[in-house]
């Protein structure tokens, strides 16, 4: 069964901020990081439970997968995977709605 991927506005803003920050030093590396994040989320179409359960929540529907030093936080509900946030591994994870 193929899952549908939906990006929250927060996750889109996160990726945009990541790209802007990295591009100040290296536009090509910024593009590579963004591409890796996008490629990682495409994997969720076929295998959404491949990511780890996020320890801060202990909820099996909230999972994460890393791309470089970024945590892609997502929720699996029925046939939809919602990308909730993309944060650096050194940042604290706030609440996801």
């Amino acid at each position: 069964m193929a899952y549908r991927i939906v990006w929250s506005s927060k996750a889109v803003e996160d990726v945009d901020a990541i790209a802007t920050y990295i591009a100040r030093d290296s536009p090509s590396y910024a593009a590579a990081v963004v591409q890796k994040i996008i490629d990682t989320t495409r994997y969720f179409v076929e295998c959404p439970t491949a990511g780890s359960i996020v320890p801060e929540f202990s909820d099996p529907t909230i999972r994460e997968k890393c791309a470089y030093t970024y945590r892609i936080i997502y929720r699996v509900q029925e046939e939809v995977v919602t990308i909730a946030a993309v944060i650096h591994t050194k940042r604290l994870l706030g609440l996801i709605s």
Side-chain angles (χ1 to χ4, degrees):
M1 164 177 49
Y3 286 73
R4 186 168 57 99
I5 305 296
V6 175
W7 284 74
S8 71
S9 58
K10 163 90 171 81
V12 172
E13 290 170 10
D14 291 344
V15 172
D16 186 48
I18 290 165
T20 300
Y21 179 77
I22 296 171
R24 288 189 283 171
D25 293 324
S26 175
S28 62
Y29 184 63
V33 169
V34 169
Q35 190 61 55
K36 177 72 170 178
I37 290 168
I38 291 169
D39 289 346
T40 300
T41 64
R42 287 183 179 147
Y43 182 67
F44 304 151
V45 169
E46 294 299 324
C47 197
T49 58
S52 304
I53 294 172
V54 177
E56 291 91 337
F57 296 108
S58 299
D59 179 342
T61 67
I62 301 174
R63 297 183 168 265
E64 68 180 340
K65 191 85 169 161
C66 286
Y68 294 116
T69 57
Y70 295 95
R71 295 169 74 185
I72 302 167
I73 310 296
Y74 63 99
R75 180 183 299 263
V76 181
Q77 292 178 306
E78 297 176 17
E79 296 176 8
V80 177
V81 174
T82 303
I83 310 301
V86 181
I87 64 166
H88 195 278
T89 55
K90 291 185 178 181
R91 288 188 57 205
L92 295 175
L93 181 62
L95 294 177
I96 298 174
S97 54

